[in-house]
């Protein structure tokens, strides 16, 4: 009896996901985005592309950390030779830094707009263009209606959008599929090695539609995201995969 | 580009043609006659007749008296025009811009054509020998202006090719008739004793204008190249323009949309046929109140896709104010280029690359609304100085000339200009212990550096920078630099220049 009810609920949940546009990837087709354990927070365990993600970065330090994570995500989104669009009011991103995260900087097209209204218009136009790898926009605020327009655009074109919210105020409700917050963590250089180690972040998924929010520690090493083992926070020797091999 | 013109003069046009038709006329003195003012006068004579003293305009009876065995034929009205047209068409093989200079000449704009036949000399020689071998007695000349070429073709004695800017020297010894003047003016010049152009060319313009009229000065200017001369081309280049008059003035957005669609449909049909595409286009609306309203668009790459161009115009429709109504629309492709035909891909890669049509369309829409300067793409540049390490790409197709450098850490965010920070550094040339940025104290826990970057002395003068990558107690990573050497006192100039991921 209990088992039957569980199956029924599972079936209903699957249907709901399907109606909402989360398609179960055929076996073998999923490549993953390289986020490791973070991906399990999403429905079906797949990073939702063709959706809009919201990233909170009120301070420049957080913006830099978010930029690092973004670049890592873009690298796998642009793997197939795509192009991405970066729309902003006042841009500080330094294109050569993208290369360290595996993105070819000359495949990123920057659009500088004068006002917030143009920015959202440009983002919507970009999201409507099928075939773009991603559209990134640095916005201050976005209303529910505006976010719904963007959602409608991505539903038909399957382009992935990222909203970088650089407004310190409380983010309101919107249709974004996930809300992220990335903060820097002290890096761990190898034992006895001076200087700064690989970039390391605290990645918080504050809200995931149909998923499980959570918090992870990630490190960008050897061209991919590596989860940082909790137990090893104090010790150094097993956090670096290169060292594990000996 | 400097213009070059060739003028051809067919001295015995109709008689040459008759001789071609009837080879038996080759060795006889031949004249064509036509009645005029109760007399029969000679309108054309062949070389043989001319050499025996028969000239054009002479009475036919006189001519017969001079040359008893003269062959006299009736003139063929309209034959000259027909012949000139045919010869002009034939000359299109040498240049697309051929103009007929009635009654017996051609003027060709040969700018940029001569090198295809080698030198200008080879080019002119080729034309003249081809025409002469057919049987036409032709003279030709090449100069910077149509007027000078005309003059040298008919009156020149020395050489047919006038070098660039040499028309003045070439014209000086020629008679005034070389300037294509009215017979009345020529008579007056003759009476005054001006037998060659050098006699009057240096005179004051006002003096010349008073005595010989405005046309006289115009002819001089045209021959010297001070004024452009319009040519009546055999095949004029039609501008890429379409007109749509409205039955009644229209004033709704829908009507304007329909008008734009109709005009674009016509224009694009023509462009597609010629494998051309629009780079910039202007739509003009002539309003009932006499005002003209217009909207302009531009594209990144030449396009003749009506749907795409319409989308660009669609963004501009709200800016068009029809007021009482628009009664006439015109659409002109102000800049038209050849379309690069896209290659059909056997399998389409996932996503669209930099060369795809969809991306070009999107960028056109963005550029038309936000301005062309709003969109940029960066390429690496071989400079260590961070501000100069990237440059804006000219076009979507431009490839990086050098590889992106990855050997040095570079921050995710770079401040447009470095900001001052207060630091405490204990040991010279060591990273600072703490720094104050925006009234917040950051304790430096880890640091890398220094990386010294010098200014390029051939570009600018100033202090070098010693960059340090530092991490504070919260794990936030910064890019600091000291401008110049450590100097011991507190005058060290420390700046923050970026944020690392």
């Amino acid at each position: 009896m209990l088992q039957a009810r569980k199956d029924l609920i599972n079936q209903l949940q699957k249907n709901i996901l399907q109606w909402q546009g989360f398609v179960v990837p055929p076996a073998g087709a999923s490549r993953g985005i390289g986020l490791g354990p973070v991906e399990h927070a999403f429905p079906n365990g797949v990073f939702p592309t063709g959706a809009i993600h919201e990233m909170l970065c009120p301070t420049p330090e957080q913006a830099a950390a978010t930029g690092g994570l973004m670049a890592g995500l873009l690298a796998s989104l642009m793997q197939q030779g795509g192009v991405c669009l970066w729309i902003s009011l006042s841009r500080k991103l330094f294109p050569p830094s993208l290369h360290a995260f595996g993105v070819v900087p000359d495949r990123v097209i920057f659009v500088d707009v004068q006002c917030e209204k143009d920015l959202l218009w440009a983002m919507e136009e970009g999201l409507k263009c099928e075939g773009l790898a991603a559209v990134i926009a640095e916005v201050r605020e976005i209303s529910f209606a505006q976010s719904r327009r963007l959602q409608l655009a991505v539903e038909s074109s399957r382009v992935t959008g990222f909203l970088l919210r650089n407004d310190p105020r409380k983010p309101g409700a919107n249709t974004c599929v996930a809300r992220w917050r990335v903060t820097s963590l002290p890096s761990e250089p190898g034992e006895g090695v001076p200087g700064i180690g690989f970039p390391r972040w605290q990645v918080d998924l504050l809200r995931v539609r149909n998923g499980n929010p959570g918090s992870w520690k990630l490190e960008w090493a050897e061209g991919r995201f590596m989860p940082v083992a909790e137990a090893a926070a104090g010790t150094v020797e097993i956090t670096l995969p290169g060292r594990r091999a000996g | 580009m400097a213009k070059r013109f060739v003028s051809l003069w067919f001295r015995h046009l109709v008689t040459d043609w008759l001789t071609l038709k009837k080879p038996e006329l080759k060795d006889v003195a031949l004249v064509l006659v036509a009645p005029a003012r109760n007399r029969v006068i000679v309108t054309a004579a062949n070389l043989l007749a001319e050499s025996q003293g028969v000239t054009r305009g002479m009475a036919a009876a006189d001519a017969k008296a001079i040359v008893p065995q003269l062959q006299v034929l009736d003139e063929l009205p309209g034959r000259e025009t027909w012949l000139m047209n045919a010869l002009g068409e034939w000359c299109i093989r040498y240049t697309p811009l051929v103009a007929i200079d009635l009654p017996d000449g051609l003027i060709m704009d040969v700018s940029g054509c001569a090198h295809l036949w080698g030198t200008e000399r080879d080019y002119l020689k080729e034309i003249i020998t081809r025409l002469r071998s057919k049987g036409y007695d032709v003279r030709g000349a090449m100069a910077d202006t149509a007027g000078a070429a005309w003059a040298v073709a008919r009156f020149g004695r020395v050489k047919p090719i006038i070098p660039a800017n040499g028309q003045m020297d070439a014209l000086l010894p020629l008679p005034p008739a070389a300037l294509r003047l009215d017979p009345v003016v020529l008579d007056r010049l003759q009476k005054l004793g001006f037998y060659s152009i050098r006699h009057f060319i240096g005179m004051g313009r006002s003096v010349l204008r008073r005595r010989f009229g405005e046309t006289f000065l115009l002819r001089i200017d045209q021959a010297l190249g001070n004024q452009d001369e319009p040519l009546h081309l055999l095949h004029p280049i039609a501008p890429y323009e379409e007109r749509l008059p409205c039955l009644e003035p229209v004033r709704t957005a829908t009507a304007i949309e329909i008008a734009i669609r109709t005009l674009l449909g016509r224009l694009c049909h023509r462009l597609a046929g010629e494998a051309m595409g629009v780079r910039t286009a202007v739509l003009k609306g002539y309003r009932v109140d006499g005002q003209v309203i217009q909207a302009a668009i531009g594209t990144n790459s030449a396009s003749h896709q009506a749907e795409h161009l319409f989308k660009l115009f669609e963004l501009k429709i709200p800016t068009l104010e029809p007021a009482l109504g628009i009664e006439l629309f015109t659409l002109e492709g102000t800049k038209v280029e050849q379309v690069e035909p896209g290659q059909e891909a056997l399998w389409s890669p996932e996503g669209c690359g930099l060369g795809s049509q969809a991306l070009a369309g999107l960028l056109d829409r963005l550029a038309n609304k936000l301005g062309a300067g709003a969109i940029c793409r960066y390429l690496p540049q071989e400079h260590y100085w961070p501000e100069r390490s990237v440059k804006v790409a000219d076009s979507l197709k431009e490839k990086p000339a050098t590889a992106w450098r990855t050997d040095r850490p570079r921050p995710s965010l770079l401040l447009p200009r470095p900001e001052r920070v207060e630091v405490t550094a204990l040991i010279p040339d060591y990273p600072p212990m703490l720094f104050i940025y925006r009234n917040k104290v950051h304790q430096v826990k880890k640091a890398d550096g220094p990386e010294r970057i010098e200014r390029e002395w051939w570009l600018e003068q100033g202090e070098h920078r010693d960059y340090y990558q530092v991490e504070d107690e919260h794990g936030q990573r910064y890019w600091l630099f000291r401008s110049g050497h450590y100097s011991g006192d507190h005058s060290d100039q420390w700046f923050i220049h970026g944020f690392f991921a």
Side-chain angles (χ1 to χ4, degrees):
Chain A
M1 182 65 197
L2 203 67
Q3 186 62 33
R5 187 182 283 175
K6 217 173 193 176
D7 285 349
L8 194 67
I9 288 173
N10 270 344
Q11 187 58 44
L12 281 174
Q13 224 157 23
K14 250 181 212 163
N15 285 349
I16 289 173
L17 282 180
Q18 211 153 17
W19 295 330
Q20 287 187 337
F22 294 96
V23 187
V24 185
S30 97
R31 288 190 301 267
I33 194 114
L35 276 175
V38 185
E39 283 178 46
H40 297 301
F42 295 107
N44 298 330
V46 178
F47 177 85
T49 55
I52 301 193
H53 296 257
E54 185 186 21
M55 299 192 163
L56 306 182
C57 41
T59 63
E61 290 89 350
Q62 276 193 349
T66 312
L69 184 85
M70 277 282 325
L73 293 176
L74 282 181
S76 57
L77 286 173
M78 289 165 69
Q79 234 168 23
Q80 303 296 316
V83 175
C84 84
L85 214 60
W86 193 296
I87 309 162
S88 56
L89 279 167
S90 60
R91 178 163 42 85
K92 292 203 189 98
L93 187 91
F94 191 45
S97 70
L98 293 173
H99 204 279
F101 295 94
V103 178
V104 184
D106 53 75
R107 306 188 67 86
V108 182
I109 296 170
F110 293 96
V111 181
D112 297 329
V113 293
Q114 298 297 322
C115 62
E116 198 91 343
K117 205 174 126 198
D118 281 348
L119 189 141
L120 287 170
W121 173 82
M123 177 159 194
E124 196 182 327
E125 285 290 318
L127 290 175
K128 277 182 197 163
C129 178
E130 282 179 40
L132 280 188
V135 179
I136 302 118
E138 296 176 18
V139 291
R140 290 184 65 76
E141 358 188 346
I142 183 165
S143 70
F144 187 73
Q146 284 162 337
S147 74
R148 207 158 50 180
R149 283 185 68 103
L150 301 182
Q151 179 62 31
L152 287 175
V154 291
E155 270 172 19
S156 58
S157 69
R158 311 302 298 163
V159 176
T160 316
F162 293 93
L163 287 173
L164 304 183
R165 301 286 304 274
N166 47 17
D167 187 21
R169 272 176 288 172
K170 194 169 178 286
N174 54 35
T175 60
C176 295
V177 73
R179 177 174 291 165
W180 302 69
R181 190 176 60 201
V182 186
T183 40
S184 312
L185 283 181
S187 62
E188 296 282 350
E191 201 173 3
V193 180
I196 297 178
F198 295 119
R200 192 178 273 205
W201 309 293
Q202 172 85 36
V203 179
D204 300 324
L205 262 175
L206 304 176
R207 251 184 26 184
V208 189
R209 208 197 301 162
N210 301 313
N212 313 307
S215 179
W216 296 266
K217 285 181 179 170
L218 288 184
E219 185 174 72
W220 180 264
E222 302 185 341
R224 60 202 169 111
F225 293 109
M226 301 294 300
V228 178
E230 277 301 323
T235 57
V236 180
E237 56 272 20
I238 57 164
T239 49
L240 295 175
R243 287 165 188 278
R244 214 181 298 161
Chain B
M1 195 177 79
K3 291 242 172 202
R4 293 294 276 170
F5 291 90
V6 163
S7 173
L8 296 179
W9 180 35
F10 298 86
R11 278 196 287 182
H12 308 285
L13 180 68
V14 187
T15 52
D16 281 345
W17 176 74
L18 273 173
T19 316
L20 280 178
K21 284 287 197 194
K22 302 175 185 164
E24 67 271 17
L25 293 175
K26 199 172 174 214
D27 294 322
V28 285
L30 170 71
V31 290
L32 298 185
V33 294
R37 291 188 201 152
N38 286 335
R39 294 192 305 166
V40 177
I41 59 168
V42 174
T43 56
N46 70 356
L47 190 60
L48 204 62
E50 272 187 358
S51 66
Q52 293 177 34
V54 178
T55 54
R56 206 178 276 202
M58 185 183 265
D62 294 348
K64 274 185 199 159
I66 296 169
V67 187
Q69 63 274 41
L70 191 70
Q71 175 88 32
V72 180
L73 295 176
D74 279 341
E75 194 201 34
L76 308 158
R79 182 55 58 178
E80 278 182 344
T81 319
W82 179 84
L83 264 173
M84 283 322 302
N85 264 321
L87 284 167
E89 292 279 355
W90 185 83
C91 282
I92 295 269
R93 70 187 61 197
Y94 295 112
T95 167
L97 308 174
V98 176
I100 291 172
D101 172 30
L102 285 175
D104 52 5
L106 290 177
I107 291 179
M108 317 197 305
D109 184 346
V110 300
S111 321
C113 296
H115 76 275
L116 300 172
W117 277 265
T119 60
E120 289 186 340
R121 193 185 145 77
D122 297 338
Y123 179 69
L124 192 61
K125 203 172 152 194
E126 153 85 12
I127 300 177
I128 304 262
T129 44
R130 284 289 286 274
L131 283 167
R132 280 198 182 147
S133 68
K134 274 179 176 263
Y136 289 102
D137 183 13
V138 63
R139 278 174 60 97
M142 188 186 278
D144 271 3
T145 62
W150 192 94
V152 176
R154 281 156 181 82
F155 298 92
R157 290 277 172 273
V158 190
K159 53 179 183 181
I161 294 176
I162 308 303
N165 299 322
Q167 56 266 35
M168 175 69 117
D169 294 336
L171 285 175
L172 285 181
L174 302 184
L179 289 175
R180 294 176 287 176
L181 300 172
D182 286 340
V184 185
V185 177
L186 285 178
D187 270 356
R188 200 176 301 157
L189 285 165
Q190 182 77 19
K191 272 181 201 154
L192 291 170
F194 294 132
Y195 301 125
S196 72
I197 295 176
R198 82 167 84 234
H199 290 143
F200 57 83
I201 196 106
M203 289 184 174
R205 289 177 69 86
S206 56
V207 180
L208 291 176
R209 184 183 292 116
R210 195 164 65 238
R211 286 187 173 66
F212 306 111
E214 191 64 49
T215 335
F216 181 74
L217 289 179
L218 178 72
R219 287 300 190 193
I220 293 179
D221 281 346
Q222 283 177 346
L224 294 180
N226 298 334
Q227 252 188 33
D228 276 342
E229 185 176 348
L231 295 179
H232 299 286
L233 296 178
L234 208 54
H235 291 288
I237 301 164
Y240 291 91
E241 192 182 320
E242 295 290 339
R243 291 164 67 85
L244 181 70
C246 304
L247 211 56
E248 282 193 1
V250 298
R251 44 181 310 191
T252 61
T254 325
I256 297 176
E257 261 178 43
I258 294 170
I260 296 174
R261 273 190 196 280
T262 317
L263 287 169
L264 277 175
R266 285 192 217 153
L267 187 68
C268 289
H269 180 72
R270 180 180 159 200
L271 287 167
E274 298 174 19
M276 302 291 266
V278 166
R279 285 297 306 276
T280 59
V282 179
L283 174 82
K284 282 186 185 164
Y286 293 79
R287 288 202 319 216
V288 180
D289 58 2
Q291 300 280 325
V292 181
I293 49 171
Q294 60 176 29
I297 58 151
T299 60
N300 277 313
S301 57
S303 161
H304 55 239
Q305 288 166 343
E307 194 51 41
H308 171 54
L309 295 174
F310 174 73
K311 274 196 184 137
L312 301 183
F313 272 117
E314 201 178 15
L315 299 171
K316 305 275 180 179
I317 290 177
T319 65
L320 294 172
E321 287 174 20
L324 288 171
I326 302 170
E327 47 187 2
L328 170 70
F329 288 95
T330 65
L331 176 69
E332 189 185 357
T334 41
K335 192 175 170 198
V336 172
E337 279 181 5
Q338 270 197 328
V339 174
E340 289 169 24
Q343 190 172 350
E344 295 276 336
L346 268 181
W347 66 91
S348 61
E350 205 176 311
C352 60
L354 285 171
S356 77
Q357 283 288 326
L359 183 70
L362 169 71
L363 294 185
D364 282 348
R365 282 201 294 286
L366 294 179
N368 271 287
K369 173 131 179 176
L370 309 171
I375 297 171
C376 50
R377 198 168 73 90
Y378 291 95
L379 295 179
Q381 204 168 212
E382 283 196 318
H383 289 286
Y384 284 103
W385 199 251
E387 285 93 335
R388 273 198 287 272
S389 59
V390 290
K391 64 168 181 177
V392 177
D394 294 331
S395 70
L396 278 180
K397 295 192 180 65
E398 196 177 347
K399 296 260 188 309
T402 57
W404 289 96
R405 294 186 70 97
T406 48
D407 50 348
R408 291 278 159 200
R410 288 290 176 261
S412 275
L413 301 192
L414 190 79
L415 294 172
R417 65 182 47 187
E419 290 174 28
R420 278 293 287 277
V421 286
E422 294 290 322
V423 306
T424 306
L426 289 184
I427 313 170
D429 287 336
Y430 254 55
M433 250 177 56
L434 58 88
F435 67 95
I436 304 169
Y437 173 56
R438 295 205 173 159
N439 299 328
K440 229 177 129 188
V441 182
H442 298 271
Q443 299 280 346
V444 174
K445 291 293 175 198
K446 303 189 187 81
D448 258 341
E451 177 192 354
R452 175 165 296 182
I453 302 183
E454 296 270 2
R455 281 179 206 267
E456 288 133 313
W457 54 262
W458 56 96
L459 292 176
E460 60 179 356
Q461 298 289 319
E463 298 278 12
H464 63 258
R465 294 172 176 177
D466 284 335
Y467 277 99
Y468 294 90
Q469 188 186 353
V470 301
E471 184 178 291
D472 73 356
E473 70 271 27
H474 304 295
Q476 305 176 64
R477 291 168 275 273
Y478 302 88
W479 211 29
L480 307 181
F481 71 84
R482 187 187 58 220
S483 183
H485 290 286
Y486 178 80
S487 59
D489 53 4
H490 285 284
S491 64
D492 286 348
Q493 303 266 316
W494 281 86
F495 293 89
I496 178 168
H497 202 184
F499 304 90
F500 279 94

